Amino acid sequence: MRILVANANTTEAITEACAASARRAAASGTEVIAATPRFGPAVISSRAENIIAGHALLEVLAQHAGQVDAVVLAVSHDTALEAARQMMPCPVVSMTEAACFTACMIGGRFGLVTFGNVETYRELVTRHGLAGRLAGLGSIDIAAPEAVRDPEGVAAKLLPAIDALAAQGADSVILGGAALAGFDERLKGRAPLPLLDGVACATRMAEMLVRAALPKPRTGSFAAPSGRATKGLDARLAALLGG
């Protein structure tokens, strides 16, 4: 089985952290291939950057279409998820959605901790239909790249935020941010609740979907696009849209 772990940021160090987390989570015999977009934001932190990153991410996926068995979107905003599911001929799993549904299977309510502004994550959880299962959101006042440069410093800031979410009734905490890939292992035994790494959750779900061998829908809003006229797109992306 071959799984593509596609970052939507252009920071290679974050891609590498996500790929390492996916490889730890993957079953024996699963090959993890990592990819980073050729353009876009270094780290997504605004709605505008998220839209730009969506185009860049779809271009990356198109380059691997037909060559991988599943895709993991290693971006905590679940960037371009619906479009990727419609376009790609294989299962596509996003990290925050996967972590949210995993959290629902191990407890009643979950929390999520991330960098900076949390409101887009509140919207994302609501979009996935899980607002009623969200105990709270936490934030650490630090830039995402610090997780690569100073992981222990970031870990020290995460622990009080996790404690606060536990006090709000969370039964588990999602580590919201591709840059936090692997921090579930780093904080094991130091946090009072189970910590969910979205990349690890998504990798395991992707493997399950590949083994389930479900067909792609041939009708409805997630049926593959075809016959769409485009201009100026990467040739492989245009081919997937043109059918």
Side-chain angles (χ1 to χ4, degrees), residues 156-181:
K157 289 181 177 291
L158 283 170
L159 287 168
I162 293 166
D163 288 340
L165 290 169
Q168 293 176 55
D171 300 307
S172 62
V173 173
I174 295 166
L175 301 174
L180 294 179

Side-chain angles (χ1 to χ4, degrees), residues 172-210:
S172 62
V173 173
I174 295 166
L175 301 174
L180 294 179
F183 272 72
D184 58 330
E185 288 294 320
R186 182 175 290 277
L187 294 173
K188 184 176 286 186
R190 298 159 63 185
L193 298 173
L195 302 180
L196 297 173
D197 174 339
V199 174
C201 293
T203 299
R204 295 177 182 120
M205 287 190 180
E207 290 180 319
M208 178 272 292
L209 288 171
V210 172

Side-chain angles (χ1 to χ4, degrees), residues 54-76:
H55 176 189
L57 182 59
L58 292 177
E59 183 179 288
V60 168
L61 301 192
Q63 292 166 3
H64 292 84
Q67 301 172 36
V68 295
D69 299 298
V71 170
V72 167
L73 301 184
V75 51
S76 62

Side-chain angles (χ1 to χ4, degrees), residues 4 8 23 76 100 124 132 172 192 196 242:
L4 174 67
R23 291 182 180 116
S76 62
C100 287
L124 181 58
S172 62
L196 297 173

Side-chain angles (χ1 to χ4, degrees), residues 4-44:
L4 174 67
V5 173
N7 187 7
N9 304 301
T10 56
T11 303
E12 289 283 356
I14 294 177
T15 303
E16 292 167 8
C18 291
S21 178
R23 291 182 180 116
R24 282 192 298 271
S28 175
T30 295
E31 179 185 2
V32 171
I33 303 155
T36 306
R38 68 177 179 87
F39 68 92
V43 176
I44 300 167

